[in-house]
Amino acid sequence: MVNILRTIIRGDMDLRTPLAKVKGYGSAKSGTESHILQRISAVGMIFLWLWFVVITLKFIGASDVNRVYMVNNPFTLLGFILFGCTAIYHASFGLQMIIEDYIHCDVIKFVLVGLVKFFCFATVVAGVVGAFVIHITSF
Amino acid sequence: MMTKKARPLSPHLSIYKPQISSVLSIAHRVSGVVNFIGIAFMMWWIFYLAYYGQYFGETIVYQFFTSLFGKATIVLWTFSVFFHMCTGIRHLFWDCGFGFKVETMNKTGWLAVVMAVILTVAAWSIYLGQL
């Protein structure tokens, strides 16, 4: 009774079920990109992570001179930047999915997703700048 | 409005018996977040090293990662990444339409766990062999 009064006062009297309200609207026609991009970056991450493990083990086993040589190698820099960017890119989709699954308040959800995406972006920039500076200053 | 009654919702995680499928599904998510924290830390640490590399030995980070607890953290983190990789490959097979039978799913689940352990042990054995 109170609910009916409230809907009448608010002027949005709609006694249909939530399902009936959304029926006929069709799909949002977007949203598959993030799914596909997450899969593509996942395949990339398999190879990049294995490369990262191998290069780290090589670095540990190398002499001091060879370590400097490895840091000087432009392909190490390229590989590390690809590894970091792909990892954070992949993670940004996963984190967004987790937030959207467990946070039901729209405002908090949008703010959190925004903050996480921005943190991901800042992290990638920090990693790329750091790796590049170490590469340049190692000559 | 009228439909907002406190009805029971489906995932009663607390009353389900843990199974390999559900445990791995949750662990895949948790390990993903752990991997993100690790990689993000690595990126910011490299940024720090690029500019303050000479003070590296005096930092609390250095003290942490040279302690036993810190070393264990790194080993567990690599296990988390290998685990996420193995269960992720399982997810990619599902996306291609393979491995949906219950027996197959249980087998690939255990295979992913075993492979993650093997890869972690292999990587750290090589590391210890090179010291």
Side-chain angles (χ1 to χ4, degrees):
Chain A
M1 190 63 205
V2 175
N3 278 337
I4 294 170
L5 277 177
R6 202 181 290 153
T7 46
I8 292 167
I9 291 161
R10 278 208 203 138
D12 59 342
M13 192 164 151
D14 188 351
L15 299 177
R16 290 179 303 163
T17 61
L19 179 64
K21 279 180 200 165
V22 294
K23 259 189 179 173
Y25 278 125
S27 79
K29 297 203 170 54
S30 69
T32 46
E33 319 87 52
S34 66
H35 181 87
I36 293 164
L37 288 171
Q38 193 181 25
R39 269 43 182 197
I40 292 169
S41 58
V43 176
M45 271 320 288
I46 299 173
F47 298 104
L48 287 167
W49 168 250
L50 293 177
W51 170 84
F52 181 74
V53 171
V54 169
I55 208 89
T56 309
L57 289 171
K58 264 188 167 180
F59 186 82
I60 305 256
S63 64
D64 281 356
V65 177
N66 279 335
R67 281 182 183 181
V68 174
Y69 181 75
M70 280 175 79
V71 177
N72 284 345
N73 189 339
F75 290 102
T76 313
L77 176 71
L78 193 66
F80 182 81
I81 289 175
L82 272 177
F83 168 71
C85 290
T86 314
I88 300 292
Y89 186 62
H90 181 75
S92 71
F93 292 120
L95 291 169
Q96 184 182 0
M97 200 187 282
I98 290 173
I99 293 169
E100 286 170 350
D101 277 357
Y102 300 126
I103 310 283
H104 301 301
C105 171
D106 279 347
V107 177
I108 300 173
K109 185 164 72 185
F110 287 132
V111 170
L112 260 184
V113 170
L115 285 175
V116 163
K117 293 257 164 173
F118 180 74
F119 179 73
C120 287
F121 182 66
T123 304
V124 163
V125 172
V128 169
V129 169
F132 190 71
V133 168
I134 290 175
H135 173 73
I136 290 295
T137 52
S138 69
F139 283 103
Chain B
M1 215 87 8
M2 304 288 278
T3 53
K4 272 189 184 167
K5 273 184 184 171
R7 293 206 175 93
L9 299 166
S10 73
H12 309 289
L13 280 182
S14 50
I15 65 162
Y16 273 129
K17 181 184 156 204
Q19 294 159 53
I20 185 75
S21 48
S22 62
V23 170
L24 285 192
S25 173
I26 296 161
H28 186 69
R29 283 206 157 178
V30 173
S31 64
V33 176
V34 171
N35 299 348
F36 170 73
I37 295 169
I39 299 266
F41 179 81
M42 198 194 290
M43 302 301 255
W44 287 105
W45 182 232
I46 277 181
F47 183 68
Y48 175 84
L49 287 185
Y51 293 99
Y52 306 101
Q54 67 269 36
Y55 309 119
F56 158 70
E58 300 160 24
T59 54
I60 194 162
V61 176
Y62 179 79
Q63 283 166 10
F64 175 73
F65 284 115
T66 46
S67 72
L68 192 66
F69 185 67
K71 284 173 186 167
T73 310
I74 301 183
V75 175
L76 284 176
W77 183 77
T78 51
F79 172 73
S80 166
V81 181
F82 278 125
F83 173 81
H84 194 82
M85 187 180 87
C86 293
T87 47
I89 290 171
R90 201 161 152 252
H91 271 280
L92 288 173
F93 273 105
W94 286 335
D95 289 338
C96 298
F98 302 110
F100 284 113
K101 269 186 166 177
V102 176
E103 312 95 78
T104 320
M105 211 188 63
N106 288 341
K107 271 184 207 161
T108 52
W110 282 111
L111 180 69
V113 176
V114 171
M115 280 309 291
V117 173
I118 290 174
L119 285 167
T120 313
V121 171
W124 286 102
S125 311
I126 296 170
Y127 170 80
L128 290 174
Q130 280 180 340
L131 283 183

